[in-house]
């Protein structure tokens, strides 16, 4: 019931900026303009996220910093409150929040712990290219499942020798019959060991320039041939 109530409040969120605040021109007559006050709905889910950060994330953060234990239970609780997967469109079961609305939620969660917030927001990173470029069947399959249960997704681009330099990525994909065979290594992948599926970038045309050489793939985590490596120890992550 709590999740349903919260989701309904978030879905009703209006534009990022209120137009209720008039601004004045060089004269004395007020003229309509953009105000920067949060709407009532935005204040509502900001409050939900802030309370969650204070009551759930902050007390648990030192434990996760010391042990490196993945915050499975915290993410499940955040999902129940509608604080995960904020960008997924309503037609696929999500809240359909915009960038500004989602930033309000992320800011409050990061106030509790940036590491835990990164794990939560990494879902949105993996989902973004699916929202932008996948076909309807793929969106229903992979975005839909994220709204049905508290699953994790991961964005797989960085490699041992190619982090910010995406053009230097070596992972490649070759089409064989009606399937693609992907070979390569990814590294420092947030949620990599817990993900249900991955968005993965691989080179499909080695002769093309960087803008055309790569293809994005959705890869189920239980696909044959995937090996999950050791956890990297990063401060606060």
């Amino acid at each position: 019931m709590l999740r349903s109530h919260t989701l309904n409040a978030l879905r009703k969120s209006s534009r990022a900026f209120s137009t209720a605040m008039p601004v004045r021109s060089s004269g004395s007559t007020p003229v309509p303009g953009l105000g920067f006050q949060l709407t009532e709905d935005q204040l509502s889910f900001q409050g939900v996220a802030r309370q969650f950060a204070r009551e759930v994330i902050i007390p648990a953060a030192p434990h996760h910093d010391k042990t490196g234990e993945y915050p499975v239970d915290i993410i499940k609780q955040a999902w129940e409150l509608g604080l995960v997967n904020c960008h997924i469109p309503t037609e696929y079961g999500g809240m359909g929040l915009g960038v500004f609305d989602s930033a309000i939620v992320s800011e409050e969660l990061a106030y509790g712990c940036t590491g835990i917030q990164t794990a939560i927001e990494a879902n949105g990173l993996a989902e973004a290219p699916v929202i932008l470029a996948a076909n309807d069947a793929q969106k229903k399959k992979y975005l839909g499942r994220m709204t049905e249960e508290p699953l994790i997704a991961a964005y797989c681009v960085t490699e041992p020798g190619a982090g910010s330099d995406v053009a230097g990525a070596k992972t490649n994909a070759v089409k064989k019959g009606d399937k693609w065979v992907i070979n390569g290594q990814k590294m420092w992948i947030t949620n990599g060991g817990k993900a249900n599926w991955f968005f993965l970038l691989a080179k499909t045309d080695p002769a093309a320039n960087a803008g055309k050489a790569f293809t994005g793939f959705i890869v189920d985590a239980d696909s044959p041939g995937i090996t999950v490596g050791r956890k990297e120890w990063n401060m606060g992550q």
Side-chain angles (χ1 to χ4, degrees), residues 116-234:
I116 292 174
Q117 181 273 334
T118 298
I120 292 173
E121 187 57 29
N123 265 18
L125 185 61
E127 292 158 358
V130 178
I131 293 170
L132 292 172
N135 59 41
D136 188 60
Q138 291 169 327
K139 290 178 182 179
K140 287 179 179 177
K141 181 177 180 179
Y142 291 98
L143 299 179
R145 70 172 65 166
M146 304 301 286
T147 66
E148 293 168 356
E149 56 181 308
L151 298 176
I152 301 299
Y155 182 85
C156 301
V157 173
T158 304
E159 299 184 0
S164 300
D165 178 22
V166 176
K170 304 297 183 184
T171 297
N172 66 85
V174 178
K175 193 167 188 180
K176 294 186 177 181
D178 62 347
K179 299 181 182 296
W180 287 89
V181 178
I182 301 172
N183 283 289
Q185 288 183 302
K186 298 296 181 179
M187 194 170 184
W188 297 295
I189 305 303
T190 303
N191 295 349
K194 301 292 183 179
N196 177 265
W197 57 269
F198 309 101
F199 169 80
L200 181 142
L201 199 66
K203 187 170 289 186
T204 51
D205 185 353
N209 61 42
K212 298 180 178 180
F214 293 92
T215 300
F217 293 89
I218 305 171
V219 181
D220 286 298
D222 60 358
S223 299
I226 295 177
T227 301
V228 177
R230 66 177 175 84
K231 173 180 169 56
E232 297 295 329
W233 287 89
N234 300 315

Side-chain angles (χ1 to χ4, degrees), residues 38 42-59 81 83 103-113:
L38 299 183
Q42 289 167 340
L43 288 171
S44 177
F45 60 75
Q46 182 188 55
V48 171
R50 184 172 297 176
Q51 183 177 358
F52 183 78
R54 286 175 174 168
E55 296 182 0
V56 179
I57 296 179
I58 289 177
L81 289 171
L83 301 175
I104 294 172
V105 173
S106 291
E107 179 182 41
E108 296 301 330
L109 298 180
Y111 151 69
C113 173

Side-chain angles (χ1 to χ4, degrees), residues 60-72 74-75 113 115-116 119 190-191 193-194 230-237:
H63 168 77
H64 292 282
D65 277 344
K66 291 175 183 177
T67 65
E69 179 185 339
Y70 190 81
V72 174
I74 292 176
I75 293 176
C113 173
I116 292 174
T190 303
N191 295 349
K194 301 292 183 179
R230 66 177 175 84
K231 173 180 169 56
E232 297 295 329
W233 287 89
N234 300 315
M235 185 173 66
Q237 300 292 316

